[in-house]
Amino acid sequence: MEENLKELIAKAIHEIDLSLNLKELEKLRVKYLGKKGLITDLKKNIAKLPKEEKPQAGKLINQASVKIEEALEDKTKAIREKLLEEKIEEEKIDVTAHFDRKTSGHLALINQTLEDLEAIFQNMGFDVVEGPEIDTVKNVFDDLNSPADHPARSTSDTFYITHNVLLRPHTSSMQIRVMNEGKLPIKMVSAGRVFRNDEVDATHSPMFHQLECLVVDENVSMANLKATLETFIKEMFGDDIKLRYRPHHFPFTEPSLEVDATCPICKGKGCPACGNTGWSMELLGGGMVHPNVLEACGIDSEKYTGFAFGLGVDRIAMVKYGLDDIRLLYDNDKRFLEQF
Ligand code: DAH
């Protein structure tokens, strides 16, 4: 009997070892330990044995039962652990995979353009000056030689805060502020927001940006203005860009001019972006500072001359980056912003 039991245990343990899943293990449990299982049968048969053999047989069968039970338990544990490991492996999240590192933003295109412009003028020896967006009628119009009936003065064009205080409609007021500081010579640029009562469309916004340039010294001439503009425009757009000067009128310059650049897309040949003209939209207005403006700021216009210009920063950005709508600069559409 002892031999038979040993064989039975060995067979059971071998089968348990070979089983691959919990279902197979359960079958083996039933086969050996279930109600009609092999061990259970042996237990039942003890009753039929001679009295003196019963205790020993009972002991051996119980030991066999315990051994098989332990083997089943060990294997169940092993299979469960394996299943858990497989599950963990399957569901593992790689926190470093597909991680979008571009979570921080960057300067808006218009601010990038402002920085580029300021850097170019700084390299040419200009001071960069900051000024207020709210200014006086004296700085914005009166001292800039604007006649009392100039259309820009009307409330339909300009946002007034009080009778004498307004949101600046151009950065030219910075000319007055800097000249009033009384230091000569002057070689400055000043960029920032300006405000006009304009309807929004593809080329107009009630808030946009200008860069004002002013040079005042002895013997400043139109040639200096031209050289400054040509140097600046080549820095900004490259060597093959040309400028076109058109006569114009501004109250604060005499003579006055407006300037266009060759279309940076077709380089002047004509394309849909420039309406086949070969020229970009007007980029700036400028000229030689009117003697009345110098005198209003206490500068001797017999001794000193100057040139000035005001640049449309949004237009520079539009030309440089090929934008067909100024609203792109202000709509905060991530699909647009992320391109730069
Ligand atoms: N202030 C003018 C405008 O907003 C532009 C301008 C013209 C600025 C001539 C100047 C200048 O400095 O000399 O349209």
Side-chain angles (χ1 to χ4, degrees):
M1 166 146 186
E2 205 173 336
E3 277 310 303
N4 285 349
L5 265 177
K6 267 190 189 157
E7 253 175 53
L8 190 66
I9 292 168
K11 193 173 168 241
I13 287 177
H14 183 62
E15 284 179 359
I16 289 168
D17 246 5
L18 290 180
S19 64
L20 296 170
N21 54 47
L22 296 174
K23 217 169 160 185
E24 280 178 32
L25 275 184
E26 176 58 16
K27 273 187 191 158
L28 292 174
R29 197 191 61 77
V30 172
K31 178 176 169 184
Y32 290 98
L33 305 175
K35 264 187 197 164
K36 290 173 188 164
L38 297 172
I39 297 285
T40 319
D41 273 354
L42 289 175
K43 280 183 184 165
K44 280 177 195 160
N45 285 334
I46 293 176
K48 294 172 194 161
L49 293 173
K51 204 179 170 193
E52 60 279 12
E53 286 178 23
K54 277 184 189 170
Q56 178 65 3
K59 196 177 150 199
L60 289 174
I61 293 169
N62 264 343
Q63 278 174 353
S65 176
V66 167
K67 273 195 180 143
I68 293 172
E69 215 161 306
E70 277 174 3
L72 281 168
E73 243 172 60
D74 287 350
K75 184 73 184 186
T76 305
K77 227 170 126 189
I79 288 179
R80 287 227 167 98
E81 265 169 26
K82 199 169 159 246
L83 283 176
L84 187 66
E85 264 169 34
E86 280 171 8
K87 201 167 174 210
I88 289 172
E89 189 57 36
E90 215 171 82
E91 294 178 359
K92 193 154 91 182
I93 299 168
D94 182 354
V95 289
T96 63
H98 313 295
F99 178 58
D100 184 1
R101 288 170 202 280
K102 264 172 46 195
T103 45
S104 66
H106 57 74
L107 282 182
L109 196 54
I110 197 73
N111 287 329
Q112 286 183 40
T113 309
L114 280 167
E115 285 196 353
D116 289 349
L117 290 172
E118 287 177 352
I120 291 172
F121 283 102
Q122 251 168 340
N123 285 340
M124 290 163 72
F126 284 78
D127 292 328
V128 173
V129 179
E130 296 265 343
E133 292 166 2
I134 296 173
D135 214 329
T136 59
V137 167
K138 184 168 159 45
N139 287 342
V140 168
F141 294 124
D142 294 347
D143 288 356
L144 281 165
N145 197 38
S146 294
D149 59 354
H150 195 279
R153 286 183 183 253
S154 92
T155 51
S156 62
D157 279 19
T158 298
F159 298 112
Y160 282 83
I161 292 165
T162 68
H163 206 62
N164 280 317
V165 178
L166 70 172
L167 293 180
R168 63 180 180 188
H170 57 186
T171 45
S172 300
S173 44
M174 286 308 294
Q175 293 185 32
I176 304 302
R177 285 181 168 269
V178 170
M179 284 191 278
N180 279 337
E181 284 175 10
K183 279 182 243 145
L184 286 169
I186 293 166
K187 198 176 172 191
M188 74 90 180
V189 292
S190 183
R193 293 195 184 97
V194 298
F195 306 85
R196 288 185 196 176
N197 196 359
D198 280 337
E199 288 290 331
V200 178
D201 64 24
T203 53
H204 292 88
S205 160
M207 185 280 294
F208 57 103
H209 299 77
Q210 288 188 335
L211 177 134
E212 194 77 16
C213 174
L214 174 69
V215 173
V216 180
D217 202 349
E218 291 178 44
N219 302 317
V220 174
S221 74
M222 193 80 137
N224 299 128
L225 168 60
K226 221 179 147 205
T228 304
L229 286 175
E230 309 262 329
T231 308
F232 148 70
I233 212 81
K234 288 198 161 84
E235 284 289 320
M236 195 71 193
F237 293 109
D239 276 345
D240 43 6
I241 221 92
K242 284 196 193 67
L243 292 179
R244 170 171 77 173
Y245 301 82
R246 289 180 283 106
H248 200 74
H249 168 78
F250 295 104
F252 28 91
T253 40
E254 180 59 35
S256 304
L257 45 87
E258 276 191 339
V259 179
D260 316 309
T262 40
C263 168
I265 293 163
C266 65
K267 313 280 184 227
K269 289 195 194 83
C271 72
C274 58
N276 276 319
T277 61
W279 295 100
S280 68
M281 44 190 167
E282 170 216 329
L283 290 184
L284 63 101
M288 299 306 294
V289 179
H290 197 291
N292 289 355
V293 175
L294 296 172
E295 296 293 339
C297 300
I299 295 172
D300 181 355
S301 63
E302 294 292 327
K303 188 170 176 205
Y304 290 97
T305 49
F307 72 75
F309 60 86
L311 198 74
V313 176
D314 308 70
R315 292 190 167 180
I316 294 278
M318 289 173 78
V319 170
K320 175 145 180 144
Y321 298 102
L323 315 180
D324 57 2
D325 198 317
I326 193 171
R327 287 169 287 201
L328 288 167
L329 293 169
Y330 302 113
D331 278 352
N332 288 334
D333 185 335
K334 265 184 98 186
R335 291 166 302 178
F336 170 76
L337 297 173
E338 280 171 354
Q339 293 176 42
F340 303 96

